[in-house]
Amino acid sequence: MMDEKRLEQKYREIKRQAAPDLWNRIEEGLKVHPERQMAADKEPEEPPAERFKIIKKNRSRIYGMAAAAAAMLAVMIVYPKMSGEKAAATEGVNWNSGQETAEAKIAEAKIAEAKIAEAETAEAGPSMLAAGAPENAEPMDRAFPESKQSEAAPGMGNGVTENQAAADRKGEDEKSRAGSLSGGKSRLKDGVVHYGQLKAAVYQPVTIPQNAVTIPEDAQYFSEAVLRDAQLLCSGTVQSVSFEEDSSGKAVKVVYELILKQVYYAEDYITDMDRIVVKSPIIKTEGDEMYVLYQLQPEGTYLLPLCRNDGDWELLYPFAPQIQVTGDGEYLFHSGYASLVNDSASLVIGSQEGRNDYYYDRMVLRKDEEFLSDLLALVEH
């Protein structure tokens, strides 16, 4: 039985033998046309270089025809071989009709043609110029070195249009963004969850008074290192949201009253208490109306890292959503806590509170029981 390597060798041999013979037979079959010869004599003679290009082009066409003929001959050789192997493999099988056998032969012939095409491609090599490219054009790896290919204009010499390049860049930006949200897309095995699917507190925004003293949402950059300043880590459920005013009557802080559920970490001794008051600077949303950005929602339960300021407990980092505990005991937190993102995490997409809400599509959900211990380890270290 002829193996694949021998088949390739046979095909190359037929190609080399058939091409010159076909060329000779074509030349012998050409008819002489004196009237054309006279007209040709009157035309100015082309430069030798131009004639060489034309002859080379014609010969390449004829050699291509010869290669196609050789490919057909090789397929004809393979057909009976394949048919014999098929008959031997299926001996003893009672076929109801010859249709299935014919279809099997056609399929095997296509496989043989594909192998021949692969062998031809491998023989041509990766340096083959693209169709229609000038014969003296440099290969891409020399015309555009690797260090300069990214600087080349889209659609110039690389077969990529400007729209395709823009789409590729957009795809890369989205991949990079998805990776930055959660420390890598591969870590979000549970996919994407919408905020409306969670058993969380209903969004009830509080309108900011017109004379309120506010601070910008980007006044401080988030880093897990801010947790070193945490003096208390506790969980509680929000009962009310109000404003603290200064002596002139301007609102200067948001005041949350919570029912304290549990204290997980404290620098100093905390006496038994069932309620805690937590304050925060006022950060406003950008939109038609001004609401408190990243506000703790009434009836919502949160895990809060806190610090003391003038004797009052305040949110350690008020410029992002706080860690929320859902009704199912799941933990919703923003992607800045990169150390808390594990294999069981899912990405949560919510509605944007305002134009300056940068966390609505950067929220992560964990359902495992190890979240609390991971958060405590992060605070303690």
Side-chain angles (χ1 to χ4, degrees):
M1 182 178 65
M2 182 180 295
D3 57 11
E4 185 176 342
K5 183 176 291 184
R6 290 183 59 191
L7 176 62
E8 294 177 4
Q9 293 176 353
K10 186 66 177 177
Y11 162 68
R12 293 191 180 97
E13 182 179 349
I14 293 173
K15 179 180 176 181
R16 288 194 296 269
Q17 293 176 357
D21 182 63
L22 183 61
W23 174 255
N24 293 332
R25 282 187 288 166
I26 292 174
E27 287 184 339
E28 291 174 359
L30 295 177
K31 295 181 180 181
V32 179
H33 296 275
E35 66 279 4
R36 296 182 183 178
Q37 184 64 34
M38 294 175 61
D41 292 341
K42 293 180 181 180
E43 295 178 356
E45 184 178 1
E46 295 180 351
E50 297 297 327
R51 291 204 311 274
F52 175 75
K53 289 183 179 180
I54 295 173
I55 293 172
K56 185 175 180 182
K57 183 176 181 181
N58 292 335
R59 284 182 177 270
S60 64
R61 291 179 179 176
I62 294 172
Y63 276 114
M65 295 170 60
M72 291 299 298
L73 180 59
V75 172
M76 293 172 64
I77 294 174
V78 172
Y79 273 4
K81 298 283 186 182
M82 292 294 185
S83 301
E85 293 173 2
K86 179 67 177 180
T90 59
E91 185 177 0
V93 178
N94 182 19
W95 296 95
N96 294 328
S97 65
Q99 181 179 0
E100 296 177 352
T101 304
E103 292 177 352
K105 290 181 180 179
I106 293 173
E108 291 172 350
K110 289 183 178 179
I111 294 174
E113 290 183 72
K115 290 183 178 180
I116 292 173
E118 290 178 0
E120 179 66 17
T121 303
E123 183 181 6
S127 61
M128 181 182 294
L129 294 177
E135 295 179 5
N136 60 349
E138 293 188 17
M140 182 59 63
D141 55 354
R142 292 201 299 270
F144 289 94
E146 184 176 356
S147 60
K148 297 293 183 181
Q149 287 182 18
S150 60
E151 301 174 4
M156 295 182 61
N158 55 6
V160 180
T161 64
E162 186 174 357
N163 291 337
Q164 289 173 332
D168 292 341
R169 287 194 298 270
K170 181 179 179 181
E172 292 298 326
D173 291 342
E174 290 178 353
K175 289 180 181 179
S176 175
R177 185 180 178 218
S180 65
L181 294 184
S182 57
K185 186 176 180 181
S186 61
R187 303 176 70 183
L188 299 178
K189 291 186 176 180
D190 294 340
V192 179
V193 179
H194 195 276
Y195 183 84
Q197 298 175 281
L198 305 179
K199 291 185 178 180
V202 179
Y203 179 59
Q204 303 177 46
V206 174
T207 304
I208 299 177
Q210 292 184 355
N211 61 348
V213 178
T214 63
I215 60 176
E217 74 285 344
D218 57 354
Q220 182 182 355
Y221 180 78
F222 179 83
S223 168
E224 291 180 345
V226 301
L227 294 175
R228 68 165 63 107
D229 298 327
Q231 297 173 292
L232 178 66
L233 177 64
C234 63
S235 63
T237 301
V238 179
Q239 290 296 294
S240 64
V241 182
S242 59
F243 292 98
E244 179 182 285
E245 298 179 350
D246 61 7
S247 57
S248 63
K250 294 181 179 180
V252 292
K253 288 185 179 181
V254 187
V255 180
Y256 302 103
E257 184 178 356
L258 296 90
I259 296 177
L260 188 64
K261 300 188 69 174
Q262 189 168 349
V263 174
Y264 299 99
Y265 170 84
E267 279 192 352
D268 300 323
Y269 176 74
I270 302 295
T271 58
D272 293 337
M273 55 183 178
D274 57 357
R275 291 180 181 269
I276 185 172
V277 175
V278 178
K279 299 181 181 181
S280 170
I282 302 174
I283 305 169
K284 65 180 180 180
T285 61
E286 291 183 359
D288 297 335
E289 296 186 45
M290 290 191 301
Y291 300 108
V292 177
L293 184 63
Y294 307 133
Q295 168 198 320
L296 299 183
Q297 297 300 314
E299 306 303 325
T301 301
Y302 298 86
L303 279 174
L304 302 175
L306 306 174
C307 61
R308 277 197 180 275
N309 185 9
D310 295 334
D312 297 325
W313 290 111
E314 290 193 353
L315 296 176
L316 181 64
Y317 188 82
F319 308 100
Q322 303 301 310
I323 301 173
Q324 187 173 0
V325 185
T326 70
D328 294 330
E330 302 167 335
Y331 300 95
L332 180 66
F333 57 99
H334 64 79
S335 59
Y337 290 103
S339 300
L340 299 180
V341 180
N342 64 4
D343 292 338
S344 64
S346 299
L347 185 65
V348 178
I349 305 297
S351 300
Q352 193 173 19
E353 296 181 12
R355 290 191 295 269
N356 57 338
D357 175 10
Y358 305 118
Y359 285 93
Y360 75 99
D361 60 349
R362 290 171 167 80
M363 301 301 292
V364 183
L365 184 72
R366 272 183 63 175
K367 308 175 184 180
D368 55 288
E369 298 178 354
E370 289 76 20
F371 178 83
L372 275 174
S373 59
D374 292 346
L375 178 60
L376 278 171
L378 197 59
V379 172
E380 291 173 354
H381 293 85

